[in-house]
């Protein structure tokens, strides 16, 4: 597998991860506008008040769905890479896939969901009732501070960390595929050895002579 094929596969699954994540986020906000209350600036949270029961249930369901997305997409990507690989997949191609996926998700979340949609467009499903017009909705720096908290910017550390997790979890898949291929080859050899060997027919001892040729 060359560099460009790996890049194309990684970007394809990155788009899939971003699309599924966005669907879960936007869908949960349409169900309950305060589902993501804990992600809002503190001043907005204080004015809005306590999260509703519907918001808590929706937040829990959204978290579970995103967890499934974060597990299913890299597994599908690793299986795709394994089918394209000539030999053993190893650690680095899945690591690259996971890192590219989470990097794309982080950038999309910051630039599109936070800066463009939340701060600039401010659609109705993102504005909490009673907080309309608050200046904190246009606080672009807040989202940067969330991305790079002090002293450890763990959201940035999570980008290569996700790649490491995908790379490590892909090793059992690669090992299992190698064992399965070896087992199938072994079974094929056994079948060949057990097959009866066909031997050429022995010629008859006495050739048949037609009566008309007898004297």
């Amino acid at each position: 597998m060359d560099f460009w094929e790996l890049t194309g596969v990684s970007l394809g699954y990155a788009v899939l991860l971003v699309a599924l994540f966005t669907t879960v986020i936007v869908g949960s906000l349409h169900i309950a506008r305060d589902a993501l209350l804990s992600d809002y600036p503190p001043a907005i949270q204080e004015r809005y008040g306590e999260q509703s029961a519907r918001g808590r249930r929706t937040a829990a369901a959204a978290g579970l769905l995103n967890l499934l997305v974060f597990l299913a997409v890299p597994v599908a990507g690793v299986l795709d890479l394994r089918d394209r690989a000539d030999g053993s997949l190893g650690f680095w191609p899945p690591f690259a896939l996971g890192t590219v996926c989470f990097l794309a998700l982080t950038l999309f979340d910051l630039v599109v969901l936070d800066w463009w949609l939340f701060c600039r467009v401010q659609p109705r499903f993102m504005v909490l009732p009673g907080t309309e017009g608050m200046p904190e909705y246009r606080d672009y720096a807040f989202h940067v501070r969330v991305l790079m908290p002090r002293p450890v910017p763990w959201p940035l550390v999570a980008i290569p960390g996700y790649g490491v997790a995908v790379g490590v979890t892909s090793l059992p898949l690669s090992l299992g595929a190698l064992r399965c291929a070896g087992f199938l080859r072994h079974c094929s050899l056994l079948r060949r050895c057990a097959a009866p060997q066909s031997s050429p027919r022995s010629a008859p001892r006495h050739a048949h002579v037609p009566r008309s040729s007898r004297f």
Side-chain angles (χ1 to χ4, degrees):
M1 182 186 308
D2 59 16
F3 171 79
W4 294 112
E5 185 177 9
L6 175 59
T7 301
V9 173
S10 300
L11 290 177
Y13 282 96
V15 171
L16 177 62
L17 180 66
V18 168
L20 293 176
F21 176 81
T22 304
T23 301
V24 172
I25 293 299
V26 175
S28 64
L29 290 175
H30 276 88
I31 295 174
R33 277 198 273 176
D34 62 345
L36 304 179
L37 179 63
S38 59
D39 295 332
Y40 281 65
I44 297 178
Q45 296 185 41
E46 184 178 356
R47 176 177 293 187
Y48 178 76
E50 186 179 358
Q51 188 179 29
S52 65
R54 183 175 183 177
R56 290 192 295 270
R57 291 193 300 269
T58 305
L64 180 59
L65 288 176
N66 275 330
L67 177 61
L68 294 176
V69 168
F70 290 150
L71 293 175
V73 171
V75 168
V78 168
L79 294 177
D80 191 358
L81 291 177
R82 191 190 66 183
D83 292 339
R84 296 168 183 264
D86 297 331
S88 177
L89 186 57
F91 171 81
W92 293 109
F95 168 80
L97 182 140
T99 302
V100 169
C101 284
F102 210 79
L103 176 61
L105 179 64
T106 301
L107 292 176
F108 184 88
D109 184 44
L110 175 66
V111 176
V112 177
L113 296 182
D114 291 340
W115 283 355
W116 180 70
L117 201 59
F118 185 87
C119 294
R120 183 173 180 81
V121 178
Q122 296 184 24
R124 184 175 179 271
F125 63 85
M126 279 189 168
V127 178
L128 297 173
T131 64
E132 296 85 351
M134 291 186 66
E136 284 77 12
Y137 278 106
R138 297 192 180 276
D139 187 0
Y140 291 84
F142 166 77
H143 303 281
V144 178
R145 293 193 298 270
V146 170
L147 187 62
M148 295 184 292
R150 296 179 180 180
V152 180
W154 62 266
L156 297 181
V157 175
I159 295 173
Y162 190 73
V164 170
V166 175
V168 170
T169 55
S170 70
L171 295 179
L173 292 177
S174 300
L175 183 60
L178 290 176
R179 288 180 176 176
C180 182
F183 177 74
L184 292 177
R185 285 195 298 268
H186 182 66
C187 291
S188 178
L189 290 175
L190 289 178
R191 285 196 299 269
R192 291 180 183 177
C193 294
Q197 299 294 329
S198 59
S199 58
R201 292 183 178 178
S202 57
R205 294 182 179 181
H206 302 285
H208 176 72
V209 180
R211 291 185 178 181
S212 58
S213 62
R214 294 180 182 177
F215 296 99

